[in-house]
Each structure stands twice: as C-alpha cells, then as structure tokens.
Amino acid sequence: MGWIGLKMPRRENSLRRSAMTSEKTNSQLADALQSAIAGDVFVDPVIRGVYSTDASLFQVIPQCVVVPKDAADVLAAIRIAGRFSLPITARGGGTSLSGQTFGPGMVIDFSKHLNAVLSVDVDKQTAWVQSGVILDQLNATLRPHGLHFAPDPATGSRATIGGMIGNNTCGTRSIVYGKTIDHVLETRVVLADGTVCHFKERDDDFLDQLTYANVGEAKEAELLRQLRGIIDINREEIIARYPRVLRRVSGYNLDEFVDNAGYLGSIGPRGSRLDVHRVWNLSNLIVGSEGTLGILLDAKIRLMPLPAATALCVVHFDSLDSSLRAVDQMLEHRPSTVELLDVTVMDEARVNPATAHMAHFIDGHPQAVQIVEFQGENTAQAKSAAEAFADEMQARSIGVSWPVFSNSAAIRDVWETRKLGLGLISNVQGAIKGRDFIEDACVPTEHLADYIQKIQSLCASENIDRLSIYAHASVGVVHVVPALDLHLKDEAAKMQRIADQAFQWVMEVGGSWSGEHGDGQLRGRFLPLMFGPKIYDAFKQVKQLFDPNQQMNPGKVIDAASLSDNLRYQTPNYQINAAKSESSALYRYAAQGGLQLAIEQCNGVGACRKINSGTMCPSYMATRDEQHSTRGRANALRLAMSGQLGSDPISALASDEVNEVMKLCLACKACKSECPNAVDMAKLKSEVLQMRNDQHGVSLGTRLLGAMPDAAARLAGKAGRLANFASLIPGGRMVLEKLTGIDRRRPLPPFATRRLTQVLESEPVPTGRRDRGRVVLFDDTYANFFEPHVGRSAVALLEDCGFEVILAKAGCCQRPRLSKGLVREAKKLGTKTFEKLDHYARQELPILCLEPSCASALADDLADLVDDVAMSKRVAKQVQMIDQFLVSEGIEISSDSGTFLLHGHCHQKAQFGTEAILNSFAANPTASCDEVDAGCCGMAGSFGYEQYELSQKIGEQRLFPAIRDAVASKKTIIACGISCRHQIKDFCNVTAKHWVEVAHAKR
C-alpha cells in the first residue's frame, strides 16, 4: 500500500479553466497541474472562491484547487506546489469552525475520490480507510459487522475521517469513547518534500537502526530521533502545562509521548498511556495537527462494538443555571453522554422546517434540557437505566420533567435536532447572528455553571442580547455562541474583547481553549499564552522538523493570524452595493430581510454535502463537486454580490462563471427545509437567472419552456392529437433539442385530448352530501391539460368527503417561468392569478393543490413576489396540499387495498410533508404503504429534459432501484408530482399514480 518512489507519468485530466488569470506564473502552474493530475484542477476565480471558506468566520481565496483521483495525484500536486512555493491545505468536508480548511495556495480536496474503505478486519476490529471517507458512510459499511468508528461529531453526515484525524475530533459520547486519537493506530502521510511515511508503533530499537527498508522508514526514524530530543528537553514542562481535561485538542500532542501528562483518567478505549521509552507512534502527532505537519493519505483505525441499545431521559429545567449545576450529579449514573440545549435552540427547533417535526420531545417551555443517554445490552435494559435515572432525578428535585425515550424513531429525532444546533442558532432574520469564537472552551464540569454565568454577564455588558448555549455538558464543552454582526468593525473588536476575557477565565480553572474544534486561525494565537513560551517553542520546533519550508497549512496552530483578520464579511474587496443589488431584486426575501442576507444565510456548516440520505442536494450527491452543493452555490453568489468577482454585482451574478455553478441546481427546495439555515437556493437561482436573462437576453428555449402553460392551454383538447403526432415525426426531437435544449432522448408528455372541464362534463362526478362546505381546487396546468383524470379523481375524492368543489380557474402558478428565470413575467401573471384566488381567500375558502410544485409556488415564491403583501398573505394562508387539508379537517381517508410505495415530491417533502398520505393507508387494514428514502427523482420540471445523464444518475442513486424492487413485489407506485411520474415512466417503464387516484373517504 506504499507509494514511495512512485513515478508520475504524464496523464490526461479534466482541467477546468473558465476564467484563467493572465499572470505568467498562474499559467505555468495550470500547465504543470494539467500535465500531471488526472483529477480536477480549478484556477478560475469562482471555484477558488467556492473553496475560500469553511464553517468558520473567515475567508482566504486559494490560488488553485486540486481534486485528486488517487494518491499519485496527491504526490504530483505536492511536488508541483513545492516547485511553485505554494502553501498546501488539505480539505475534507470543509466543516471546520476554527478555520483549518482554507489557505492562500493550493487546496487539495480529498472528499470526491479518495473516500474508500480499503479493508476491514472484523476479528481484530480495525480498518484501513482513505482520508476522504465520510464518517456516516464508513459506519454504514461497518454496521452489518456490529462495529463503528466511535467518535461521533454532529457533522458525521459529511465529516471525513481525514478531517477528523486532522482535528482530533471528539463528539457526543467522548466520556465513553474518548477522542479520535484514541482510535488511530497507523497513518500513511505525505510530507512536504514528497516522502511517504507509514507511521505506526516503533520501539527504541527502530530508532537505533543503521539501515531502513525504504526512504519513508529512514525519514520516520530521523523525525523520531529529533522528536525524542524535543520531548526530553520539555518533559517536565509538558507535564506541568497540558490541561488535565479529557477534551483538549489545542496544540500538538506532545503529551502523548510523556507519561502523566495531560488527562490522567482511564476513560476511552486505550486505557493508560504508553511508556515513552518503549513505544513511539508519530501518528499521535499527525492527529490534531490540522494538516500542518503532513498530508494524510489513509489510516488504520480502531473500531468499537456498536451499543446494542440506547435510551434517553430528557431532563427539563426551568433555568439554564440549574441544568449546568446538575451535571456532576447526572454523571454519577454513568450515562454515555449528557448534552445540553438551551431555550434559544429549542425555540428555533420548534419552528425551523428542518426540525419542527422532530421537536416533539420538548415538554412545555423549559429554559434548558439535558439529553442523557444510557446504553444497554438490549432495549429493556437501556430503558430501565433511563427510567431509574429519571426517578432519581425527580426524587432529588433535579429538573421539572423527565420524559424517557426508547423508541428508535424518537431517539433519532432527538439527536438529529441536537446535531443541527449550530444552524438553528444562526437561522434568524438580519445580520446579527450567532458567531462561533468562544464556543469550544473545555472547563472542568465543577466550574461549568460559574463559567457560563461569567460569560452571560460579560456578553450583557457588551450589549449582546442573544446568547445561545448548547452541546457537551458531560465533558464541560458547552458551545457558547454570542450573536454579532460581523460586517461591522466595532462588532469584530467586541468579539476580540470577549474572547480575550473568556480565555483568561478558562485558564484560571485549568481548562482548554479548544475542546473539539481545534485551533486553526480562530484559536492559534492563544497557544503561546495557553502553553507558555517553552512549549510553544517546542511546537515551532516540531513544525520546523516536519515542514522546514512552512508549506503545510501555514497560519494554523503556529503563527496564526489574529481573530479579526480574514473575516469573511470584512475582506478588502467585500463591498456590497446594497442599493443596487437590493433594488434589482424582485423577491422581497421577507424571511431573511433582503437579497444580501438571503445569500449570506449560508454559514458553511455543509449539511448540503450529506449523501445517501434525505433530498438535499441532488446534484451534489450525484457529482460530489463542492460547487454543486448548496454551500458552493451560496459562496459563488456571495462573492459575486460583494464585488469579489467584479465591481458590478449584477454583471457578476449574471456571468457565465456563476451560471456554471448555478445551472445544476434542480430547484428542489430541499435546502429550504433540510438546511438548518433554511437557505432557499431555488428562489435565489430564479432571481439570478432573471439577472442573466436581463444581461444576456432570453433564449428561445427559455421562452418556450417558460411559456409551456400557455402552449398547453392552446394545444390541449382538439389540437392535442395533432400536437402529439408532431412530436413523433422523425427528426422532430433533434430539431426540438436545437431549439429548446430538450434532450432528444427524452419523450415529451402528451397533451390531453380532452381538458379537465370537458372530462367533468362528459364524466360527471357524483355529487356528495356537501355538508362540509365549499373548497377550491387549484386546477393547475397539468391537471387541466395533461392528466385530467387526476383532476377528476381529486374532484371525486373531495365530493366523496362531503365538500362542494369549485374549480379555481385562476391560471398558472408560474412555476415554469420562475424556474427559467422569467421572474418579472411570473410576477405580472402571478399577480393576476393571486387576484383571482384572493376572491376565494377573502371568503377563507381552502385552496387545494394537487401538484406540490404549484402549492409551493403559491404559498412561498409568488407570495414573496407580488407587491400586494396583504393579498399575498391571504392567499398563501389558504393554500394547502389536498392530502394535508383532508387530514387537518379530521376526515378519515382510506385507500384502495394492496401494497404501495410512496415517492414524495421534493417540494412536498420540503414544505408540506407526506405524513397525511401515509396515514391514509393506515386506515385500511388490507393496505400498506412505505415511503422510499430516495431523495429527488432527478426530473425537477425542465431540468431532467435538459440534463439527461445527470437526471438519470440522480434517479439511479436510490429511487430507481427501489421502484424496480417494489414493482417486483407487486407494489403500486404513488407519486404526487407529475415530473416524478414521468421520470419513473421514462427510466423504469412504470406508471405511477397520484394519491387521489387511490384514496377515498373511509366508509
């Protein structure tokens, strides 16, 4: 598995240079990378800007980005970086809160290709993994063996093992499992000079050898000999200065080479430390070094048995202080974790689309809750431990409510809500948002409550009126997040003052300034004060030893910039022409407070980078390209808006480069609900497309696709047969592809030969008792002109339930125009639609939709677009999905008999939910329905017609295999979106039904 002495042949690559800078050096750099790298190389300003941030407060734009395909690419990139004297920053998921994963030179992204689980030894409970493998994906591979990689950060859906090793990540259950360093056995590392070393346990005999098997071993022995000298000189200082707390991830791990240094307990899987005179392992220095000593290729890691079962007791408190003062008493019961949520996090969790359905575990309106977990050999044992704990807490008057949860779904909801804590506290309107800069201090738990009281008083004295507090109470790492507006220099100065004072308090009680998030730029400058000049000088010697030219991730750990340098919103070029950009915006962005804040709503936590779960972000799941994630797009828009891609923000937003980043957004709206910051990239995309259309003109294809509802209104009915026949003429699809961009391989949906009104006239629906009043059915373009049988089924269902049905006849919801960036037209025509619907809204009649994308357009997009705010609110309030309405009215809905598989439309899942549909099948004992966890189907309106291969790839990830399995099991497929039904038909040759076709009133 070694790559020592590997030769680098000239290789083909996929260099992408949409805006190559003209400087000779950059041209030479690009040419060198092009000739040597098989993966992707980016030197254009947009993609470099996409990689200029992580989840921290900072921004540094790199000179180039390399996405290697293999280890040979990594070695070639490092060699070239050395030739051009470029700093090198390794990057995984880019979820760093301390600013470890950006840099001014070359950023190497390991997450796309170097993400394999190389081997698993189940008996020895070890695995070899590449640095880019995602934690949750690794654990999914290990789960059938009853094993897992135990450190469990909240970012596990996108955090890579390489990033976790670089940061020495901890996680929720560190009182049981310790830190990442407790689980790393061996590492393969590339040093700055290109040497590949295999670091593992070595004894003194290894150091004393005269010859070695290869260059890597010889280099390792040299490093060990010199490190031994550094340790010998500083042993007593290491023992004296390293904090004696479990969660210390600041500085280099010199304490790993000295007995009786740092934490003295036996918590964690390794037990006592190794004698410095017997065994050495340089992997212990690589862990937590933040890529400043070398680049990790892969690692041998220790695996742990999965807990057989867990149960939770969520202890509710009427004050934050009382919740913190109870931590030590809770720990007496040996839980696997104690996690805090304060009232700020809980209040947002109740209303945030990403968590509202999961916040059921919160009883009443507590000021804080502590989530206390117990593990057991089975569910009964774990539940019994949690219940015994709850009884003891109640008997001792600790807390005010003590609900216990042992159901796996309920437990998952609790933990998912907790994991989204950071996003929840920053998902507020306006520029004042929770900022992470003192969030990672670790203090002994006996001092925790007093420390937090001091922080509260300090923030109050600085006129900070919002302070969020959450996370790892069990180990004294409570994330404290003050709200600041970091566009303002005064606020940055305030941040500095708070950090300086908080640091002093942490030092006074023997704590660590970083408990899990590491140093990076955020905390690096505090290290000389935390460890003292002698240890800090030892850190510099270690850095010099491994990286003599200071090439590896400079400015992190050693010689870090100040807290106020490189702030994302205060870079020299961050010059927002607010008047111009805001006046150009057509949407109000009422939820965020304007276009600028809507774009800046993304704080970089990277939840959009998760794969194989949920819906967000379909194009990222398929491509694994950072620029095709919601975060990547938000970064590109922010750069353009703020003058960093050109002095005119409108021209930058409308540019070809930004369009390349935006064009693979499916506008699925999943980010609006699954992103904890509720970034609505679909709305932003339509806004930016309008700017592009204004600057570059509207293409024929855009006009034709946007005006599809008008064409359907003309062609459906008698002209339908002729129009459908025309699409079958040989060569017709090729011509259509040239005119509109619709892929010739994609069959077009046929126009109905009878419109909905004609169908209802010829096949009238039996009138029901109509004792439940009147409802308005939004007869959308699809129900009217493509699938009138769906519209008829809806009318029949509503009449069967006792309603008098009125067809809205209000025109189109304007979704096709919005999706193509014809926002100004959509606003004009959508206002007319709203004026017609307002006639019913004023009567407070429910306006029911069949098509989820129509419902979201009416309730969200058009409502944020039309000028008459009062009218838009009236109409939006009345808009509901038909299934949602019937359940909310308390009407018992049943279904046809049989087995069904439901695929929820993206907009449906994002804004309305699918619970009502699933409940309708539960009412029939001879029916059953499962919902496929398949994300987006890949069609997304016109997207699937224009991006055929990617559309297919998205569907093949999870949906199409599930459809084929379901059909083999004789299941009927339910899909409420017409796009979904056509996608399923096109690629699986399966006819899916709308829910209204199989639902009826319960008899």
Side-chain angles (χ1 to χ4, degrees), residues 890-933:
I891 299 171
E892 289 195 82
I893 303 296
S894 187
S895 67
D896 292 346
S897 297
T899 57
F900 299 84
L901 181 71
L902 170 66
H903 169 65
H905 185 283
C906 294
H907 290 210
Q908 185 176 20
K909 291 186 286 190
Q911 292 194 243
F912 308 104
T914 56
E915 292 83 1
I917 293 177
L918 295 171
N919 290 339
S920 70
F921 290 96
N924 183 351
T926 62
S928 65
C929 182
D930 297 317
E931 182 174 12
V932 60
D933 178 20

Side-chain angles (χ1 to χ4, degrees), residues 57 97 435-440 459 464 480-484 486 494-499 513 522-523 526 563:
L57 308 174
L97 289 170
R435 306 298 185 185
D436 291 279
F437 62 96
I438 59 171
E439 87 296 345
D440 202 32
C459 289
I464 292 174
V480 182
V481 187
L484 297 166
L486 290 184
K494 182 186 296 186
M495 175 175 68
Q496 187 75 70
R497 290 194 300 271
I498 293 172
W513 192 223
L522 186 64
R523 277 173 278 270
F526 289 95
L563 182 57

Side-chain angles (χ1 to χ4, degrees), residues 772-792:
R772 295 185 182 273
R774 296 182 299 161
V775 296
V776 178
L777 179 66
F778 184 74
D779 47 336
D780 59 67
T781 297
Y782 312 108
N784 260 321
F785 307 128
F786 289 97
E787 296 184 351
H789 63 280
V790 173
R792 185 187 182 280

Side-chain angles (χ1 to χ4, degrees), residues 4 75 78 189-197 215-220 295:
I4 298 169
L75 293 176
I78 292 173
V189 176
V190 188
L191 302 182
D193 64 3
T195 304
V196 177
C197 294
V215 174
E217 282 195 358
K219 183 69 172 181
E220 181 183 9
I295 301 293

Side-chain angles (χ1 to χ4, degrees), residues 243-259:
R244 294 176 181 268
V245 292
L246 172 63
R247 298 282 286 267
R248 190 279 309 160
V249 298
S250 285
Y252 295 133
N253 297 317
L254 302 185
D255 57 331
E256 291 294 322
F257 302 91
V258 177
D259 281 347

Side-chain angles (χ1 to χ4, degrees), residues 429-431 487 574-601 637-638 640-642 648-651 653 683-684 687 690-691 694 823-824 827 864-865 867:
Q429 188 180 56
H487 297 84
Y574 207 88
Q575 300 167 356
I576 293 178
N577 188 336
K580 185 169 185 178
S581 59
E582 296 297 341
S583 64
S584 300
L586 293 168
Y587 291 103
R588 291 192 300 277
Y589 300 99
Q592 292 81 31
L595 174 61
Q596 173 193 336
L597 293 172
I599 291 174
E600 290 179 350
Q601 190 72 6
L637 296 181
R638 182 179 53 79
M641 173 194 66
S642 60
D648 179 14
I650 305 304
S651 295
L653 287 166
K683 186 179 291 184
L684 291 169
E687 183 84 74
Q690 177 68 76
M691 294 178 184
D694 291 343
V823 182
R824 202 171 285 109
K827 179 177 180 178
D864 198 39
L865 191 59
D867 290 329

Side-chain angles (χ1 to χ4, degrees), residues 909-966:
K909 291 186 286 190
Q911 292 194 243
F912 308 104
T914 56
E915 292 83 1
I917 293 177
L918 295 171
N919 290 339
S920 70
F921 290 96
N924 183 351
T926 62
S928 65
C929 182
D930 297 317
E931 182 174 12
V932 60
D933 178 20
C936 181
C937 71
M939 179 65 95
S942 64
F943 181 90
Y945 289 94
E946 298 168 302
Q947 301 285 344
Y948 184 86
E949 281 89 1
L950 182 58
S951 173
Q952 182 179 20
K953 186 174 182 180
I954 291 170
E956 286 290 359
Q957 286 188 307
R958 287 182 286 161
L959 178 60
F960 296 166
I963 294 291
R964 297 180 188 113
D965 289 345

